[in-house]
Amino acid sequence: MDTEIFALDAENIDKALINKAGNIIKNGGLAAFPTETVYGLGASALDGGAVKKIYAAKGRPSDNPLIIHVCSKEQIFEYTRDVSDTAKKLIDAFMPGPFTVILKKKRVIPDEVTAKMDTVAVRFPENKIACALINAAGVPIAAPSANLSGKPSPTEAKHVIHDMRGRIECIIDGGSCDVGVESTIVDASGEIPVLLRPGGVTYDMLKSVVPETVIDAHVLKSVAADEQPKCPGMKYRHYAPDADVTVVEGEKDAVQKKIRELLYENRNTVTGVLTMYESAYDDAVIISAGKTNREYAKNLFAALRKFDDLGVKVVFAEFCDRDGYGLAVKNRLYKSAGNKVIHAE
Ligand code: TXA
Ligand code: MG
């Protein structure tokens, strides 16, 4: 399949091009698009046949449900039922934005979207191109991140082109994503909201609106083979570059000392270091993740892809949980490292 690539400016969206992409979705095709978190791979959320094509294009297990994207708060209630006052508070506080809420679904949402669960994940993105596309399609858009299953999520159009060219009808290039990690997911279908995936809306922000909110145990630990996590996506290996990643966590001097030792032990292979301190290492490819966890979130996935492009085989990632974004970074970083974490002291 030929994949058309449209470059759009969020401040001056070309109507003809956005309508073309909207029509692809309306007619059962796939279009990748930017959001403020990561790029999404969209199909009509009301068309089970179109949604199946998403799973095929990504190589995604069919028991891992998708998020539907809407462009107004009213639309959220069109597709969900029994929304509690607590859920409404979260919706009012964090939508539009990098936030996904899980609610009981109405029947119009096909089983292909929800993997037969009786709940549906709903997101109202703030990104202007994403909103214009949902409007142009005239239907809610089911969209996972636009990467091949298991790979780091795409934060630039070139990552989507790398993974999806030839597999989908179109890719909208809207520049790089601001947040850089996927939306915060909160299950608000029960009495007490449960944070299932940390992201741009931090746990502190959630608690400032609903103090009872709890964190699901699987956010930071891996899922055992016989466990059925609340968020099916938690079962699968995620965010994994080809390189072997190890996290080295702690304060500057201890982290640098440990990484120097590890680089020496791995001197016969191509090594890389993802840094958050002012660090100098010999004979390693260095990529800076930024100084704050906010910057780290924005840069993480692109950096992991870059190491692969440069042929790096072994990566050591400096990390220190410094601000509200730390939980989101830690969740993604630990997964990309297959939970290989060293606490440097
Ligand atoms: O920022 C984002 O959320 C991006 C952009 C494109 O919107 N999307 C995204 O989708 O990250 P995806 O498919 O990569 O991650 C969705 C996660 C999966 O782990 C899935 O298991 C979970 O949401 N999920 C979807 N529906 C669910 C439901 N009804 N109950 C529990 N978890 C659900
Ligand atoms: Mg994903």
Side-chain angles (χ1 to χ4, degrees), residues 197-233:
R197 182 175 72 183
V201 170
T202 65
Y203 185 47
D204 285 344
M205 290 161 75
L206 293 169
K207 281 197 300 186
S208 73
V209 176
V210 182
E212 303 80 59
T213 307
V214 296
I215 303 184
D216 186 89
H218 289 116
V219 164
L220 286 176
K221 74 175 176 78
S222 40
V223 178
D226 57 350
E227 280 182 305
Q228 197 53 45
K230 271 192 139 190
C231 186

Side-chain angles (χ1 to χ4, degrees), residues 24 38 81 90 132 152 180 289 295 310 345:
I24 288 173
V38 301
R81 60 186 166 83
L90 293 170
E295 290 169 323
L310 297 171
E345 279 168 23

